[in-house]
Amino acid sequence: MAIKVLNNLNFDVIEREDSYYEELTEFIIQSQTNELKYSKYLKKFFELEVKVSFGQGGVANIPWISFLREGVTTSNGIYPVYLFFKKENILVLAYGISETNQPVYNWSLSNSQTIENYFIQKGLGTPFRYGKSFVYRVYDVKSLPNKKVINNDLLELLKYYKSLNLNLNMKSIHNEIIDFNLESFYEILDLAGLIFSPQLIQRFVASLCTKPFVICSGLSGSGKTKLAQAFAQWITADESQYAIVPVGADWTNREPLLGYPNALSKEEYVSPENGVLDLMIRAKENIENKEEQTKPYFLILDEMNLSHVERYFADFLSTMESGDQIPLHKIENDDLNIPQSIKLPKIYS
């Protein structure tokens, strides 16, 4: 049973098995700060996977919480989702529809209103994103309903979502081999409102094909990170294949990227919360799994020059040239999911 201590002074504990109200209120509070970490939030609720996002590489205009059935991702599928439109100060519980890829499934709805139509009806203009998703409930963040109403609304939507007949095999669709077409990437950039010259895009893609390590230089705000992010989102199946990590000015060693053995507990290894090591492990497992289609994985480091690159990135530079393993630890623990060493997977054509 999922529980959480809400008050460290009097140790009030609330059971979370059938209540998401506490998580939601914490989410709203954090959404109004610059904090992007989400590790404290529940990973499962009502037998569904929960994804929380406050932005990647920067604070999002519309932070969200999605509830996913097995095989469904936020970039390819339909799912219940909380969307916090911070500018308008409204929280929408929606029949979510992925924007990155056209969903295989459709919500079986009648007389439902899209978020875009709701905004127009209320004189709010055009939503920044997620306009094609359908409204289930809309809450004024300044005066949220009570706990019972919030929980009942969410549980009703989740029950309906779980009752839908989604029998199509998502994995087989994700593994379908599609011809690489750079023209479609131009179209996606145009739809997203990102303007780059075709020559620049061609040089970027050609550089990645030549060597899977590219440094983008240019003026601040010129779109370096956005270009890398857009390409990674366009070519990957879901968010598990890429990570956007802002480099800190205090990075003096490799620990922010690769983690470290826990000095207080000799059988534990502390992975970085930014997910870099987890991304490398997923890429390694994908290469080693002969039954699975080989996928691309991307690590995007934002503002690399904020710290001395040779201090925190030396192990990566070395393994890219030599192909040798990066030693991580010498812990003898069969339950540990972190390998004793790792290297960047080779690129297979």
Side-chain angles (χ1 to χ4, degrees), residues 98 102 109 153 176 186 189 199 204 208 214 331 337-338:
S98 66
Q102 180 66 33
L109 305 173
D153 287 347
E176 180 184 353
Y186 297 154
L189 289 175
Q199 293 80 9
F204 175 74
L208 279 173
V214 176
I331 301 171
N337 294 323
I338 307 298

Side-chain angles (χ1 to χ4, degrees), residues 213 251 304-314 317:
F213 177 55
W251 287 17
M304 285 188 71
N305 59 342
L306 284 183
S307 286
H308 293 283
V309 176
E310 66 274 14
R311 295 180 181 176
Y312 68 85
F313 207 60
L317 296 172

